[in-house]
Amino acid sequence: MRYYGCKSKLLDFLSKGVAKTGINHGSIFCDLFSGTTIVARYFKQKGYTVYANDFLEFSYSLARAYIKNNTYPNFSGLKKLIDGFNGHPTENLDIVVDHLNNLSPVKGFIYKNYCPGGTENLDFPRMYFTNQNGMKIDAIRTEIQKWKDENIISEDEFYILLTSLIETIPYVANISGNYAAYLKKWDPRALKLIKLRVPVVLGSKRKNKAFKEDANILIKKIHSDILYLDPPYNARQYAPNYFLLELIAEGWFNGQEPKIYGKTGMRAYENQKSAFCQKNTVLTVFEDLIRHAKTKFILLSYNDEGLMSEDEIVDVLATRGDVQIFKRSHRRYRSINQNESDRRIVFETLYSLKVSKE
Ligand SMILES: C[S@@+](CC[C@H](N)C(=O)[O-])C[C@H]1O[C@@H](n2cnc3c(N)ncnc32)[C@H](O)[C@@H]1O
């Protein structure tokens, strides 16, 4: 999934940083700002006990499906509703996904607010999804919520299906990278009929966990061996930029339709503003995190265009022990708002701290 600050291309760099700590698999690796969960997944596959946390619901769904969940659930509650169940969990997941792909389209919240047909009375009808895909998304999201509310599927099963939908959205959304605006012409990708992607469950014998909390609150409740921090670097808030993923993850049921506003139908996000995205608060929350960390090593990813300077970061980290710095150049994520003159290469820094002071 394209996501600001996603570490998919830096996993080997991170892996080398983790190897240098000498902390081996089996130990607890906590990814406190897990976003797409790509880092958490990588270290789960390496055999660590992984905790993944993010304050966004869509990220929590991914963490439930890929981190907490270690086996394919069997969806046994759907046996009577869907033909073809044969008792083999991976095949059952394929059958459920197939059933969802074939639901009849419904004119629901997504169609009414994010498709041209449902918004034709606006001065600028919204073009996030084609009418057909918007109605399919409505049908799928409504069906999996109904199954959950009627206890036909378990929470683990629910999050696997929700993750399947969330991870498919970027393939049919008429956007360039993030959801803050839609394209004014249809991207050919968005015109394809939605087809759910099937999540691949990662096996593990460890007690992996998923959290959805503010990092500064969770830090006071957990212990880890390696604490990996990948907070936002700049003033770009995640909740508005990924609002459609968040809205689809949270749903719109029991008469609780999300408040949306403006030309794009942005979802309200007052409660999801990150203090790490604000110059006047970032150092305070960062200091607080480092002060309360109960761990052997802290690894922090940050880049050289971030709100905190290298000196500020080192001053804070040095209060808990010796700091080492590793750098890697990295092609920056290009957004629609970027100018030709903007830098293409940024330096990703990995700060590694062996905790020796209380
Ligand atoms: C740089 S991204 C992490 C990217 C992730 N490592 C990946 O590879 O996909 C930062 C993440 O921090 C989350 N976040 C921001 N402020 C937070 C807070 N106070 N508590 C928990 N999560 C927060 C955002 O939702 C976002 O997903």
Side-chain angles (χ1 to χ4, degrees):
M1 179 188 292
R2 287 188 75 193
Y3 196 60
Y4 291 146
C6 177
K7 294 295 171 290
S8 54
K9 298 214 171 84
L10 290 166
L11 291 172
D12 61 328
F13 177 55
L14 281 182
S15 182
K16 285 181 189 144
V18 168
K20 289 195 176 96
T21 65
I23 304 264
N24 290 321
H25 48 80
S27 311
I28 299 174
F29 179 94
C30 176
D31 185 357
L32 202 63
F33 299 86
S34 54
T36 63
T37 68
I38 196 85
V39 175
R41 280 185 245 176
Y42 181 79
F43 287 101
K44 179 177 175 181
Q45 284 174 296
K46 284 199 170 265
Y48 288 84
T49 301
V50 174
Y51 298 171
N53 172 65
D54 199 287
F55 70 174
L56 295 184
E57 177 68 16
F58 92 84
S59 173
Y60 178 65
S61 177
L62 301 184
R64 286 290 302 247
Y66 290 123
I67 306 304
K68 176 182 174 287
N69 196 55
N70 291 333
T71 52
Y72 282 90
N74 60 19
F75 296 95
S76 54
L78 290 170
K79 218 171 184 168
K80 290 194 192 111
L81 297 181
I82 304 176
D83 291 338
F85 269 62
N86 58 14
H88 195 287
T90 44
E91 286 173 30
N92 283 353
L93 177 56
D94 286 341
I95 292 164
V96 179
V97 165
D98 208 42
H99 168 89
L100 292 172
N101 275 327
N102 287 304
L103 290 173
S104 304
V106 171
K107 287 185 177 170
F109 187 79
I110 295 293
Y111 171 80
K112 287 181 196 151
N113 293 294
Y114 300 103
C115 300
T119 57
E120 63 190 2
N121 55 339
L122 298 179
D123 290 343
F124 300 100
R126 297 185 190 126
M127 292 174 60
Y128 277 105
F129 301 108
T130 61
N131 293 336
Q132 184 69 3
N133 281 338
M135 289 190 284
K136 282 280 203 184
I137 294 167
D138 278 322
I140 294 166
R141 185 62 184 88
T142 306
E143 183 85 328
I144 60 180
Q145 187 71 33
K146 179 170 161 277
W147 288 342
K148 176 171 174 262
D149 292 348
E150 294 176 359
N151 293 320
I152 294 170
I153 54 174
S154 66
E155 279 222 343
D156 285 344
E157 290 166 337
F158 170 76
Y159 279 114
I160 287 181
L161 299 179
L162 184 58
T163 292
S164 164
L165 178 58
I166 289 167
E167 291 202 306
T168 306
I169 295 298
Y171 292 89
V172 292
N174 191 37
I175 56 162
S176 154
N178 69 60
Y179 297 79
Y182 54 84
L183 299 172
K184 308 295 174 290
K185 288 192 178 140
W186 291 108
D187 184 307
R189 202 174 27 90
L191 296 172
K192 292 196 183 134
L193 187 62
I194 186 168
K195 188 165 184 293
L196 291 176
R197 305 173 86 78
V198 184
V200 176
V201 171
L202 306 176
S204 157
K205 294 207 165 61
R206 317 272 179 214
K207 209 169 165 4
N208 305 300
K209 297 184 183 176
F211 299 93
K212 185 194 161 194
E213 292 209 42
D214 186 283
N216 289 78
I217 294 177
L218 184 63
I219 196 74
K220 300 187 177 122
K221 305 184 206 165
I222 50 166
H223 286 82
S224 57
D225 295 298
I226 298 178
L227 177 66
Y228 174 59
L229 304 176
D230 187 18
Y233 304 157
N234 54 32
R236 216 185 267 142
Q237 292 281 353
Y238 282 77
N241 280 301
Y242 296 92
F243 82 92
L244 260 175
L245 296 183
E246 195 57 4
L247 193 150
I248 290 169
E250 286 188 339
W252 46 84
F253 306 101
N254 307 321
Q256 300 256 316
E257 291 208 339
K259 275 194 224 146
I260 64 171
Y261 61 90
K263 244 178 163 174
T264 59
M266 174 73 76
R267 167 183 163 284
Y269 65 97
E270 305 85 49
N271 303 329
Q272 287 178 309
K273 282 193 180 151
S274 177
F276 288 89
C277 297
Q278 295 170 45
K279 184 74 189 156
N280 59 343
T281 49
V282 61
L283 257 180
T284 312
V285 281
F286 181 59
E287 275 167 1
D288 180 77
L289 261 194
I290 301 305
R291 187 167 354 113
H292 290 100
K294 294 180 277 297
T295 188
K296 293 179 185 148
F297 275 87
I298 299 175
L299 295 181
L300 166 74
S301 285
Y302 215 66
N303 79 17
D304 63 340
E305 295 186 318
L307 293 174
M308 294 187 289
S309 70
E310 189 169 307
D311 287 349
E312 286 172 327
I313 292 171
V314 171
D315 280 352
V316 174
L317 292 177
T319 59
R320 299 293 310 273
D322 291 334
V323 184
Q324 279 187 292
I325 295 181
F326 308 100
K327 291 197 189 233
R328 161 83 66 96
S329 62
H330 174 54
R331 261 189 103 70
R332 77 145 23 128
Y333 175 101
R334 287 212 72 190
S335 84
I336 198 169
N337 305 322
Q338 249 173 261
N339 301 319
E340 275 306 307
S341 58
D342 286 348
R343 284 170 64 197
R344 296 278 170 83
I345 300 289
V346 288
F347 281 92
E348 275 288 333
T349 307
L350 186 66
Y351 299 82
S352 176
L353 160 67
K354 182 168 188 201
V355 176
S356 57
K357 301 180 201 163
E358 276 306 306

